[in-house]
Amino acid sequence: MPKKGMMVVVQKGKITMTITIGLVCFVLVYIMFIQFRVIEKTDIAEIEDLREAELTEKLADWKTKCEELEKQIKEKEEKIDEYKKSAETNEEASELLEKELKQSRMLLGVTKVTGDGIIITLEDNEEHEITATLLIELINELKLAGADAISINGERVVNVTDIVEITSGDIIMNSGKNINSPFEIKVIGDQTYLDSALNVKNSGFADKYSKIGYKIKIEKVKDLEIPKYNGKMELKYIK
Amino acid sequence: MVLFSIILGCIIGAILGSKAPIIPYTYSGYLAISIVAALDTVFGGIRSTLEGKFDLKVFVSGFFGNAILSILLTYLGEKLNVDIYLAAIVVFVGRMFTNLSIIRMHYLNKFTKKKEVAKNSK
């Protein structure tokens, strides 16, 4: 039989032992269950064939690839930024170009234009017939007076325009379009300037010819519309 | 008392273990080897209890020591490209069988002795 003091020691030892063994069991089962779940959740069929080293190698491979791709993305983004910047400047340039193009087209006569101007009406009468030379003289004078755009009976006068009299009283312009009296000449330009230029005493077109007996009418019109040139415009010999 | 604490420990461990976060598959090998080492120590403990030589210090140090040592050895094997964990498993499982057989013998002996005592008393 153990003595009383020994009994207390044994009792104390028993309690620590109980707790310790309980703890040990807890740890063991805890770890085991974690392992069970790890194995359960892992797609073993896929991984089983590969050794761990291979897997780590693969992982490292993918990681470097990922890093590389990230670097590439960064580079591309920088490039995009650059392009965006240059695109902005390009836009300005292209706007300017477009403006210039628009102006050039208007000057060339391949677009319909509107603006304030005057309409001159010439009509044949018993005494005088309007000739091509007369029309050319008029157009010349209008150009001198700063006309932006001119049309005769709806035909735009451009730099390749020809006005020719085939037989008396039969005038063609713009390579074959017949025009007949009454001639309605639309001009866009400074209204007062044009008007006064035509009416200069003795040398202005209107003044000079109306004195002789031509029938000339000039009226100022707002928002005059002049159609575009319809014919072909091409360079054949200029190199 | 001890039995009760064992059961309680197992139940709590099972509950918490089934809710614990999953570790990566790479480390599950280490976990497995440590479980085998711990199980070996547990059977060793049961055997020594039956033989009346049970020592708590030896048991606890063996439990954790073996587990940690086996993990370290497995890690070393990984680095050396040698499957050291196989050797550890052979040793641990071999010892487990030895211990189990000793436990079985012990109970068999007890059983036969009881029978003999019963015969003799008749």
Side-chain angles (χ1 to χ4, degrees):
Chain A
M1 274 289 281
K3 287 176 186 172
K4 221 180 182 181
M6 280 284 282
M7 277 287 278
V8 173
V9 172
V10 169
Q11 202 76 32
K12 229 182 177 178
K14 222 177 181 184
I15 289 169
T16 31
M17 194 167 85
T18 311
I19 293 170
T20 317
I21 287 177
L23 263 173
V24 165
C25 283
F26 164 73
V27 171
L28 182 62
V29 176
Y30 182 73
I31 293 174
M32 275 170 81
F33 267 71
I34 289 178
Q35 177 72 352
F36 291 160
R37 283 182 57 230
V38 169
I39 299 304
E40 200 180 310
K41 287 270 169 79
T42 317
D43 192 1
I44 288 173
E46 192 192 317
I47 298 172
E48 222 168 17
D49 314 331
L50 299 168
R51 302 191 78 204
E52 212 159 291
E54 284 173 51
L55 282 171
T56 16
E57 225 168 80
K58 262 196 175 176
L59 191 68
D61 259 18
W62 283 114
K63 262 185 188 164
T64 45
K65 264 184 196 168
C66 188
E67 270 167 28
E68 263 172 40
L69 285 176
E70 263 171 17
K71 237 187 216 171
Q72 277 184 10
I73 285 173
K74 241 185 195 175
E75 274 171 28
K76 291 271 151 73
E77 268 174 2
E78 272 167 24
K79 262 190 188 170
I80 286 172
D81 276 352
E82 259 174 47
Y83 283 142
K84 266 185 189 166
K85 263 185 202 165
S86 63
E88 265 169 36
T89 48
N90 266 348
E91 225 167 77
E92 277 170 32
S94 72
E95 239 170 62
L96 225 78
L97 269 177
E98 213 170 289
K99 218 174 172 184
E100 221 175 282
L101 180 69
K102 218 174 167 185
Q103 242 169 10
S104 308
R105 282 169 71 87
M106 276 189 215
L107 273 173
L108 205 58
V110 290
T111 52
K112 192 172 79 179
V113 290
T114 53
D116 294 348
I118 59 173
I119 295 177
I120 306 158
T121 321
L122 297 175
E123 221 175 313
D124 289 348
N125 55 18
E126 292 86 37
E127 299 162 48
H128 299 284
E129 215 170 61
I130 309 295
T131 57
T133 340
L134 207 67
L135 287 173
I136 291 165
E137 196 185 335
L138 174 60
I139 286 161
N140 221 7
E141 210 171 313
L142 289 170
K143 280 181 178 170
L144 178 70
D148 279 346
I150 305 166
S151 75
I152 304 173
N153 284 6
E155 277 297 320
R156 181 75 171 266
V157 175
V158 292
N159 62 337
V160 294
T161 292
D162 49 86
I163 299 173
V164 187
E165 195 163 341
I166 302 169
T167 54
S168 71
D170 199 1
I171 301 171
I172 59 164
M173 73 177 285
N174 284 355
S175 310
K177 304 271 166 53
N178 251 309
I179 48 172
N180 294 307
S181 170
F183 299 100
E184 189 192 49
I185 297 143
K186 289 180 181 172
V187 188
I188 291 177
D190 191 302
Q191 286 172 329
T192 44
Y193 199 76
L194 285 169
D195 192 47
S196 53
L198 289 173
N199 286 313
V200 172
K201 281 247 155 83
N202 297 323
S203 66
F205 182 89
D207 192 68
K208 196 162 78 183
Y209 288 102
S210 53
K211 265 181 186 166
I212 305 170
Y214 282 91
K215 207 175 167 190
I216 298 168
K217 200 175 84 187
I218 297 172
E219 56 181 322
K220 293 177 184 177
V221 180
K222 276 203 164 184
D223 288 327
L224 199 60
E225 196 183 291
I226 292 182
K228 65 177 183 184
Y229 175 73
N230 284 320
K232 270 186 192 168
M233 231 185 247
E234 53 188 14
L235 298 174
K236 279 179 192 162
Y237 306 109
I238 295 177
K239 281 180 185 168
Chain B
M1 191 80 149
V2 176
L3 200 69
F4 176 72
S5 82
I6 288 170
I7 292 166
L8 192 72
C10 285
I11 290 169
I12 295 172
I15 291 168
L16 289 184
S18 54
K19 279 176 186 168
I22 288 177
I23 60 156
Y25 184 79
T26 323
Y27 303 120
S28 74
Y30 299 113
L31 210 59
I33 202 79
S34 72
I35 287 169
V36 173
L39 275 175
D40 167 55
T41 316
V42 166
F43 285 118
I46 293 169
R47 173 195 160 188
S48 55
T49 311
L50 296 178
E51 285 175 350
K53 295 192 291 192
F54 182 76
D55 189 341
L56 190 65
K57 280 176 209 152
V58 172
F59 176 69
V60 172
S61 64
F63 184 84
F64 290 106
N66 274 353
I68 291 165
L69 204 68
S70 63
I71 287 174
L72 287 177
L73 275 176
T74 311
Y75 179 72
L76 185 68
E78 192 77 40
K79 289 286 153 210
L80 291 175
N81 202 15
V82 178
D83 294 338
I84 288 181
Y85 71 91
L86 282 177
I89 283 178
V90 168
V91 170
F92 288 137
V93 176
R95 223 160 50 200
M96 241 151 82
F97 277 112
T98 322
N99 287 335
L100 274 172
S101 69
I102 287 168
I103 292 162
R104 188 178 34 123
M105 294 291 251
H106 178 87
Y107 279 109
L108 270 175
N109 280 343
K110 233 184 177 177
F111 187 66
T112 39
K113 261 185 193 167
K114 253 189 190 171
K115 258 192 170 173
E116 268 174 27
V117 168
K119 251 187 191 171
N120 288 347
S121 64
K122 257 185 186 173

